[in-house]
Each structure stands twice: as C-alpha cells, then as structure tokens.
Amino acid sequence: MVLVFSGTIPMLVSCGQFLLVGLHGLRSPYAHCRQFAPRVAFIVPAWNEGASIQATIQCLMQLDYPRDRVRVIVVDDASTDDTPQILQQAQTEFPGRVFHLRRENGGQGKAHTLNYGLEKVLQDSWMEAVVIMDADVLFPPTALIRMTRHL
C-alpha cells in the first residue's frame, strides 16, 4: 500500500500545481508595472508581399504607442511584384516612420535579408529595441505596449 500511495504523490503534486496556476491570474503584476515606451524599430523582410504588406504597415502605424517612437523598416528582397510601389507610397504617407530598403541582389533567403536589415538599423543609434516580424503579421493595437513592459 505504501508503494502504491507513494506512486500517486507526483500526480497529486502536479494536479495541485495546475490548480494554483489559476490563482496567479488573480494577482497580476502588470497593474504595478510602469509604462515604458522605448524607441522600437520593426524589421520586416519582404519578398513579393504586395498582397499583404500594406495592411501590415497600416496595422503598425495604428498601434497604441507614441508615434515618434516607432519605425518600420521593410527590407525588400528584390521583389518582382508591386511591393516596391506599395512601399514607396507608405514612405510618402508616413515620412520618417516607414523606410524601404531594397536589396537588388536578392534571392539569397530570409536570413540574408534580415541580416541586411539589421546591419542598416544598427548603424543608426536611434532604436532601443528591435522587433523582427513577417510581412503578413497583424498585431492588435495594444501588442507593442504590452511587449515593451517586459523590457
């Protein structure tokens, strides 16, 4: 009997911990966090993303975050669709906030595209945080302020 009971102890402990996890939500530490809004550079690698890149940029420009603290750098990997034209329009619509970096010698893959973008972003001392994302991601408006409170 002792061996059977001792075999159930790990199961009982894990069930107890599972029940305690729910209590953690009642005492959220985020209510006590101060607002922190570092300057954030979004790096978005793009190759033939004409169908989705405009929605992504609009989404990033509508984040609940100080406007002067967000920059979007789209690294175009020699797209052959209308991605460059859409990015030029976005640069005009959001001057100083959206930047289009074009790699004329593209096709080397996403890693090369991201490294190219990171190299350019790190040459400027403006940014305090970097977010790397895909060109078809749409964040809810509060996503960035929720991310930066952990920094």
Side-chain angles (χ1 to χ4, degrees):
M1 272 313 251
V2 172
L3 291 175
V4 171
F5 180 71
S6 64
T8 61
I9 290 175
M11 182 60 82
L12 292 173
V13 169
S14 63
C15 287
Q17 290 175 344
F18 179 74
L19 294 173
L20 289 175
V21 166
L23 294 177
H24 176 70
L26 297 175
R27 191 180 149 265
S28 175
Y30 298 124
H32 305 292
C33 292
R34 66 179 180 89
Q35 286 284 55
F36 181 57
R39 293 184 301 269
V40 178
F42 284 90
I43 299 179
V44 185
W47 180 74
N48 290 347
E49 297 284 352
S52 61
I53 194 69
Q54 187 171 13
T56 300
I57 292 171
Q58 289 293 334
C59 175
L60 292 174
M61 292 295 105
Q62 294 172 358
L63 290 172
D64 292 339
Y65 203 78
R67 293 182 184 264
D68 62 331
R69 295 187 137 330
V70 174
R71 288 186 183 173
V72 178
I73 297 92
V74 182
V75 186
D76 178 9
D77 193 27
S79 294
T80 57
D81 67 349
D82 60 344
T83 300
Q85 292 80 20
I86 293 171
L87 294 175
Q88 292 300 326
Q89 290 172 351
Q91 274 189 291
T92 304
E93 186 178 351
F94 304 106
R97 297 181 65 205
V98 175
F99 300 90
H100 174 211
L101 296 178
R102 181 163 172 87
R103 294 185 65 217
E104 295 300 332
N105 186 15
Q108 296 173 326
K110 189 174 186 176
H112 285 279
T113 305
L114 283 174
N115 287 336
Y116 180 79
L118 277 171
E119 180 183 325
K120 297 297 182 186
V121 168
L122 292 176
Q123 289 175 358
D124 186 6
S125 63
W126 177 86
M127 66 89 192
E128 297 171 318
V130 175
V131 176
I132 297 174
M133 60 179 281
D134 281 340
D136 56 357
V137 173
L138 300 176
F139 287 118
T142 58
L144 186 57
I145 199 71
R146 288 183 176 180
M147 283 189 259
T148 58
R149 68 183 173 193
H150 296 283
L151 298 177

